[in-house]
Every structure is written in C-alpha cells, then in structure tokens.
Short mmCIF file of all heavy atoms in Angstrom, two decimals:
data_model
loop_
_atom_site.label_atom_id
_atom_site.label_comp_id
_atom_site.label_asym_id
_atom_site.label_seq_id
_atom_site.Cartn_x
_atom_site.Cartn_y
_atom_site.Cartn_z
N ALA A 247 9.78 6.65 3.42
CA ALA A 247 9.91 8.04 4.03
C ALA A 247 9.41 9.04 3.04
O ALA A 247 9.79 9.01 1.88
CB ALA A 247 11.45 8.31 4.36
N ALA A 248 8.64 10.03 3.51
CA ALA A 248 8.04 10.98 2.71
C ALA A 248 8.74 12.42 2.96
O ALA A 248 9.10 12.69 4.10
CB ALA A 248 6.61 11.12 2.96
N SER A 249 8.75 13.20 1.93
CA SER A 249 9.20 14.55 2.04
C SER A 249 8.35 15.46 1.22
O SER A 249 7.75 15.03 0.22
CB SER A 249 10.67 14.70 1.69
OG SER A 249 10.94 14.35 0.40
N GLY A 250 8.33 16.71 1.52
CA GLY A 250 7.61 17.71 0.68
C GLY A 250 6.25 18.04 1.27
O GLY A 250 5.74 19.11 1.02
N ARG A 251 5.64 17.14 1.95
CA ARG A 251 4.30 17.32 2.52
C ARG A 251 4.08 16.30 3.57
O ARG A 251 4.55 15.17 3.50
CB ARG A 251 3.27 17.17 1.42
CG ARG A 251 1.85 17.71 1.87
CD ARG A 251 0.89 17.57 0.71
NE ARG A 251 -0.47 17.97 1.06
CZ ARG A 251 -0.95 19.28 1.09
NH1 ARG A 251 -0.14 20.20 0.53
NH2 ARG A 251 -2.20 19.58 1.35
N THR A 252 3.33 16.68 4.64
CA THR A 252 3.12 15.74 5.71
C THR A 252 2.35 14.59 5.27
O THR A 252 1.35 14.64 4.56
CB THR A 252 2.31 16.49 6.87
OG1 THR A 252 2.07 15.51 7.88
CG2 THR A 252 1.05 17.05 6.40
N LEU A 253 2.85 13.39 5.68
CA LEU A 253 2.21 12.09 5.25
C LEU A 253 0.83 11.95 5.80
O LEU A 253 0.04 11.13 5.32
CB LEU A 253 3.04 10.97 5.62
CG LEU A 253 3.07 9.66 4.77
CD1 LEU A 253 3.29 9.91 3.37
CD2 LEU A 253 4.07 8.72 5.35
N SER A 254 0.47 12.64 6.86
CA SER A 254 -0.89 12.52 7.46
C SER A 254 -1.99 12.87 6.50
O SER A 254 -3.21 12.61 6.77
CB SER A 254 -0.94 13.34 8.67
OG SER A 254 -0.84 14.64 8.49
N SER A 255 -1.75 13.61 5.44
CA SER A 255 -2.64 13.98 4.50
C SER A 255 -3.08 12.93 3.53
O SER A 255 -4.05 13.11 2.76
CB SER A 255 -2.22 15.18 3.68
OG SER A 255 -1.97 16.31 4.54
N TYR A 256 -2.38 11.83 3.55
CA TYR A 256 -2.52 10.74 2.46
C TYR A 256 -2.86 9.37 3.09
O TYR A 256 -2.42 8.99 4.02
CB TYR A 256 -1.22 10.60 1.69
CG TYR A 256 -0.84 11.99 1.01
CD1 TYR A 256 0.00 12.88 1.65
CD2 TYR A 256 -1.27 12.27 -0.27
CE1 TYR A 256 0.39 14.03 1.01
CE2 TYR A 256 -0.92 13.43 -0.86
CZ TYR A 256 -0.13 14.34 -0.25
OH TYR A 256 0.22 15.50 -0.88
N GLY A 257 -3.69 8.68 2.26
CA GLY A 257 -3.77 7.25 2.40
C GLY A 257 -2.57 6.62 1.80
O GLY A 257 -2.04 7.14 0.82
N MET A 258 -2.14 5.47 2.28
CA MET A 258 -0.84 4.89 1.84
C MET A 258 -1.06 3.42 1.52
O MET A 258 -1.92 2.80 2.06
CB MET A 258 0.28 5.04 2.89
CG MET A 258 0.54 6.47 3.39
SD MET A 258 1.33 7.38 2.05
CE MET A 258 2.72 6.56 1.83
N ALA A 259 -0.31 2.89 0.60
CA ALA A 259 -0.30 1.51 0.33
C ALA A 259 1.05 0.99 -0.20
O ALA A 259 1.94 1.84 -0.62
CB ALA A 259 -1.41 1.28 -0.79
N TRP A 260 1.18 -0.30 -0.20
CA TRP A 260 2.38 -1.04 -0.76
C TRP A 260 1.87 -1.89 -1.95
O TRP A 260 0.82 -2.53 -1.78
CB TRP A 260 3.09 -1.80 0.19
CG TRP A 260 3.90 -1.11 1.24
CD1 TRP A 260 3.47 -0.68 2.54
CD2 TRP A 260 5.21 -0.65 1.11
NE1 TRP A 260 4.40 -0.05 3.19
CE2 TRP A 260 5.54 -0.03 2.34
CE3 TRP A 260 6.17 -0.72 0.14
CZ2 TRP A 260 6.80 0.52 2.62
CZ3 TRP A 260 7.42 -0.22 0.36
CH2 TRP A 260 7.78 0.49 1.59
N PHE A 261 2.51 -1.75 -3.00
CA PHE A 261 2.38 -2.62 -4.22
C PHE A 261 3.59 -3.35 -4.51
O PHE A 261 4.71 -2.94 -4.01
CB PHE A 261 1.90 -1.84 -5.45
CG PHE A 261 0.55 -1.15 -5.28
CD1 PHE A 261 0.29 -0.05 -4.50
CD2 PHE A 261 -0.61 -1.82 -5.98
CE1 PHE A 261 -1.00 0.50 -4.40
CE2 PHE A 261 -1.85 -1.20 -5.87
CZ PHE A 261 -2.01 -0.11 -5.11
N ARG A 262 3.53 -4.37 -5.31
CA ARG A 262 4.76 -5.04 -5.71
C ARG A 262 4.63 -5.55 -7.19
O ARG A 262 3.49 -5.75 -7.66
CB ARG A 262 5.06 -6.17 -4.72
CG ARG A 262 4.10 -7.41 -4.86
CD ARG A 262 4.44 -8.39 -3.82
NE ARG A 262 3.52 -9.58 -3.86
CZ ARG A 262 3.51 -10.60 -2.93
NH1 ARG A 262 4.29 -10.60 -1.91
NH2 ARG A 262 2.64 -11.53 -3.06
N GLN A 263 5.74 -5.72 -7.85
CA GLN A 263 5.75 -6.33 -9.17
C GLN A 263 6.82 -7.33 -9.22
O GLN A 263 8.02 -7.00 -9.12
CB GLN A 263 5.93 -5.17 -10.18
CG GLN A 263 5.78 -5.63 -11.62
CD GLN A 263 5.77 -4.48 -12.60
OE1 GLN A 263 6.11 -3.39 -12.24
NE2 GLN A 263 5.31 -4.78 -13.77
N ALA A 264 6.40 -8.51 -9.52
CA ALA A 264 7.31 -9.67 -9.68
C ALA A 264 7.66 -9.75 -11.16
O ALA A 264 6.99 -9.23 -12.04
CB ALA A 264 6.69 -10.97 -9.19
N PRO A 265 8.81 -10.42 -11.45
CA PRO A 265 9.20 -10.68 -12.89
C PRO A 265 8.12 -11.27 -13.65
O PRO A 265 7.47 -12.24 -13.26
CB PRO A 265 10.49 -11.61 -12.79
CG PRO A 265 10.96 -11.30 -11.36
CD PRO A 265 9.71 -11.02 -10.49
N LYS A 266 7.91 -10.63 -14.83
CA LYS A 266 6.89 -11.13 -15.80
C LYS A 266 5.45 -11.11 -15.24
O LYS A 266 4.60 -11.82 -15.77
CB LYS A 266 7.29 -12.55 -16.30
CG LYS A 266 8.63 -12.63 -16.94
CD LYS A 266 8.90 -14.04 -17.48
CE LYS A 266 10.29 -14.15 -18.11
NZ LYS A 266 10.53 -15.44 -18.56
N LYS A 267 5.15 -10.29 -14.27
CA LYS A 267 3.83 -10.18 -13.71
C LYS A 267 3.45 -8.75 -13.65
O LYS A 267 4.27 -7.86 -13.64
CB LYS A 267 3.77 -10.83 -12.34
CG LYS A 267 3.92 -12.32 -12.28
CD LYS A 267 3.72 -12.90 -10.92
CE LYS A 267 3.85 -14.37 -10.86
NZ LYS A 267 3.66 -14.95 -9.47
N GLU A 268 2.14 -8.50 -13.51
CA GLU A 268 1.62 -7.20 -13.36
C GLU A 268 1.84 -6.62 -11.92
O GLU A 268 1.85 -7.51 -11.04
CB GLU A 268 0.08 -7.14 -13.79
CG GLU A 268 -0.17 -7.42 -15.21
CD GLU A 268 0.45 -6.47 -16.15
OE1 GLU A 268 0.34 -5.27 -15.84
OE2 GLU A 268 0.95 -6.90 -17.24
N ARG A 269 1.81 -5.36 -11.77
CA ARG A 269 1.93 -4.83 -10.44
C ARG A 269 0.66 -5.19 -9.65
O ARG A 269 -0.45 -5.07 -10.15
CB ARG A 269 2.08 -3.30 -10.49
CG ARG A 269 2.25 -2.65 -9.19
CD ARG A 269 2.67 -1.21 -9.30
NE ARG A 269 3.81 -1.00 -10.07
CZ ARG A 269 4.43 0.26 -10.22
NH1 ARG A 269 3.84 1.32 -9.77
NH2 ARG A 269 5.60 0.32 -10.94
N GLU A 270 0.86 -5.62 -8.40
CA GLU A 270 -0.31 -6.07 -7.58
C GLU A 270 -0.31 -5.36 -6.23
O GLU A 270 0.75 -5.00 -5.68
CB GLU A 270 -0.37 -7.47 -7.45
CG GLU A 270 0.82 -8.11 -6.64
CD GLU A 270 0.73 -9.62 -6.44
OE1 GLU A 270 -0.27 -10.15 -6.69
OE2 GLU A 270 1.76 -10.14 -5.91
N PHE A 271 -1.48 -5.17 -5.70
CA PHE A 271 -1.67 -4.57 -4.36
C PHE A 271 -1.18 -5.55 -3.35
O PHE A 271 -1.37 -6.71 -3.41
CB PHE A 271 -3.13 -4.26 -4.13
CG PHE A 271 -3.48 -3.93 -2.71
CD1 PHE A 271 -3.22 -2.65 -2.22
CD2 PHE A 271 -3.99 -4.87 -1.88
CE1 PHE A 271 -3.55 -2.32 -0.88
CE2 PHE A 271 -4.34 -4.54 -0.53
CZ PHE A 271 -4.05 -3.27 -0.10
N VAL A 272 -0.53 -5.00 -2.27
CA VAL A 272 -0.04 -5.82 -1.16
C VAL A 272 -0.71 -5.48 0.18
O VAL A 272 -1.32 -6.23 0.82
CB VAL A 272 1.43 -5.65 -0.97
CG1 VAL A 272 2.02 -6.45 0.25
CG2 VAL A 272 2.19 -6.10 -2.23
N ALA A 273 -0.67 -4.13 0.51
CA ALA A 273 -1.23 -3.78 1.83
C ALA A 273 -1.54 -2.23 1.73
O ALA A 273 -0.93 -1.55 1.01
CB ALA A 273 -0.34 -4.00 2.97
N GLY A 274 -2.61 -1.84 2.51
CA GLY A 274 -2.94 -0.47 2.57
C GLY A 274 -3.34 0.02 3.93
O GLY A 274 -3.67 -0.83 4.80
N VAL A 275 -3.17 1.27 4.21
CA VAL A 275 -3.51 1.89 5.53
C VAL A 275 -4.16 3.29 5.32
O VAL A 275 -3.82 4.01 4.49
CB VAL A 275 -2.31 2.02 6.44
CG1 VAL A 275 -1.18 2.82 5.76
CG2 VAL A 275 -2.58 2.43 7.82
N SER A 276 -5.17 3.59 6.11
CA SER A 276 -5.86 4.76 6.01
C SER A 276 -5.06 5.92 6.52
O SER A 276 -3.98 5.74 7.17
CB SER A 276 -7.18 4.74 6.79
OG SER A 276 -6.98 4.61 8.24
N ARG A 277 -5.50 7.15 6.34
CA ARG A 277 -4.74 8.35 6.75
C ARG A 277 -4.44 8.31 8.23
O ARG A 277 -3.38 8.73 8.70
CB ARG A 277 -5.50 9.61 6.40
CG ARG A 277 -5.56 9.91 4.88
CD ARG A 277 -6.02 11.29 4.72
NE ARG A 277 -7.43 11.44 5.26
CZ ARG A 277 -7.93 12.64 5.53
NH1 ARG A 277 -7.26 13.74 5.35
NH2 ARG A 277 -9.16 12.68 6.02
N THR A 278 -5.35 7.81 9.08
CA THR A 278 -5.23 7.83 10.42
C THR A 278 -4.37 6.71 11.02
O THR A 278 -3.87 6.69 12.08
CB THR A 278 -6.59 7.81 11.21
OG1 THR A 278 -7.25 6.60 10.80
CG2 THR A 278 -7.44 9.03 10.77
N GLY A 279 -4.22 5.61 10.18
CA GLY A 279 -3.61 4.46 10.59
C GLY A 279 -4.42 3.47 11.27
O GLY A 279 -4.01 2.41 11.65
N ILE A 280 -5.75 3.77 11.47
CA ILE A 280 -6.60 2.87 12.25
C ILE A 280 -7.05 1.73 11.46
O ILE A 280 -7.10 0.63 11.95
CB ILE A 280 -7.89 3.70 12.70
CG1 ILE A 280 -7.51 4.93 13.59
CG2 ILE A 280 -8.87 2.81 13.31
CD1 ILE A 280 -6.80 4.46 14.85
N THR A 281 -7.23 1.92 10.06
CA THR A 281 -7.74 0.82 9.24
C THR A 281 -6.64 0.32 8.37
O THR A 281 -5.92 1.11 7.70
CB THR A 281 -8.93 1.30 8.44
OG1 THR A 281 -9.92 1.79 9.23
CG2 THR A 281 -9.48 0.18 7.50
N THR A 282 -6.45 -0.99 8.35
CA THR A 282 -5.49 -1.64 7.46
C THR A 282 -6.08 -2.75 6.67
O THR A 282 -7.14 -3.28 7.19
CB THR A 282 -4.27 -2.15 8.23
OG1 THR A 282 -4.73 -3.13 9.20
CG2 THR A 282 -3.55 -1.04 8.97
N TYR A 283 -5.60 -3.12 5.58
CA TYR A 283 -6.13 -4.17 4.80
C TYR A 283 -5.08 -4.82 3.92
O TYR A 283 -4.05 -4.07 3.56
CB TYR A 283 -7.36 -3.66 3.93
CG TYR A 283 -7.09 -2.43 3.16
CD1 TYR A 283 -6.81 -2.47 1.73
CD2 TYR A 283 -7.06 -1.17 3.72
CE1 TYR A 283 -6.53 -1.34 1.00
CE2 TYR A 283 -6.81 -0.03 3.07
CZ TYR A 283 -6.56 -0.14 1.72
OH TYR A 283 -6.31 1.10 0.97
N TYR A 284 -5.22 -5.98 3.46
CA TYR A 284 -4.15 -6.74 2.83
C TYR A 284 -4.64 -7.65 1.68
O TYR A 284 -5.82 -8.00 1.67
CB TYR A 284 -3.49 -7.67 3.89
CG TYR A 284 -2.93 -6.92 5.00
CD1 TYR A 284 -3.72 -6.68 6.17
CD2 TYR A 284 -1.55 -6.58 5.09
CE1 TYR A 284 -3.21 -6.03 7.29
CE2 TYR A 284 -1.08 -5.85 6.18
CZ TYR A 284 -1.94 -5.54 7.26
OH TYR A 284 -1.35 -4.89 8.30
N ALA A 285 -3.74 -7.95 0.79
CA ALA A 285 -3.97 -8.90 -0.22
C ALA A 285 -4.06 -10.34 0.49
O ALA A 285 -3.33 -10.53 1.47
CB ALA A 285 -2.89 -8.88 -1.28
N ASP A 286 -4.86 -11.21 -0.04
CA ASP A 286 -5.01 -12.55 0.54
C ASP A 286 -3.73 -13.26 0.63
O ASP A 286 -3.44 -14.03 1.55
CB ASP A 286 -6.09 -13.39 -0.28
CG ASP A 286 -7.45 -12.91 -0.04
OD1 ASP A 286 -7.75 -12.16 0.92
OD2 ASP A 286 -8.30 -13.24 -0.94
N SER A 287 -2.82 -13.06 -0.36
CA SER A 287 -1.56 -13.87 -0.37
C SER A 287 -0.62 -13.44 0.78
O SER A 287 0.29 -14.20 1.03
CB SER A 287 -0.89 -13.55 -1.72
OG SER A 287 -0.64 -12.12 -1.88
N VAL A 288 -0.82 -12.27 1.43
CA VAL A 288 0.09 -11.86 2.54
C VAL A 288 -0.55 -11.80 3.85
O VAL A 288 0.08 -11.47 4.83
CB VAL A 288 0.77 -10.53 2.22
CG1 VAL A 288 1.44 -10.62 0.81
CG2 VAL A 288 -0.22 -9.38 2.25
N LYS A 289 -1.85 -12.03 3.93
CA LYS A 289 -2.53 -11.87 5.23
C LYS A 289 -1.89 -12.86 6.32
O LYS A 289 -1.65 -14.04 5.98
CB LYS A 289 -4.06 -12.27 5.07
CG LYS A 289 -4.88 -11.15 4.44
CD LYS A 289 -6.32 -11.46 4.34
CE LYS A 289 -7.16 -10.37 3.76
NZ LYS A 289 -8.60 -10.73 3.62
#
C-alpha cells in the first residue's frame, strides 16, 4: 500500500532477500499495469 503520492506515477517491483543471500528481483510491473515480468525462479 502506498501513501503520499499516487502509485500510478511509478513503476513497481517486488524483491526478496533470503538468509545469507543477496537481495534479488522477483517480479515487476509497468506504471500502467499492462506489462509484467518475472524472475525465472518464480515464473
């Protein structure tokens, strides 16, 4: 959930960090929500 500014102005993504590992990309979505893309591990 976002506050302070409309979320429509931003591209968004999810990242994750497992124990003893670097933060990694999980999934992303464009500002319009039309385009999505994923890490191979979660497709």
Side-chain angles (χ1 to χ4, degrees):
S249 62
R251 191 178 180 89
T252 176
L253 206 56
S254 63
S255 299
Y256 301 92
M258 303 292 299
W260 288 93
F261 291 76
R262 68 186 182 187
Q263 186 168 19
K266 301 181 180 180
K267 293 184 178 180
E268 298 295 318
R269 184 174 297 184
E270 65 176 353
F271 169 82
V272 177
V275 60
S276 64
R277 291 190 299 160
T278 63
I280 299 299
T281 304
T282 60
Y283 50 102
Y284 302 87
D286 289 340
S287 59
V288 306
K289 284 182 179 178

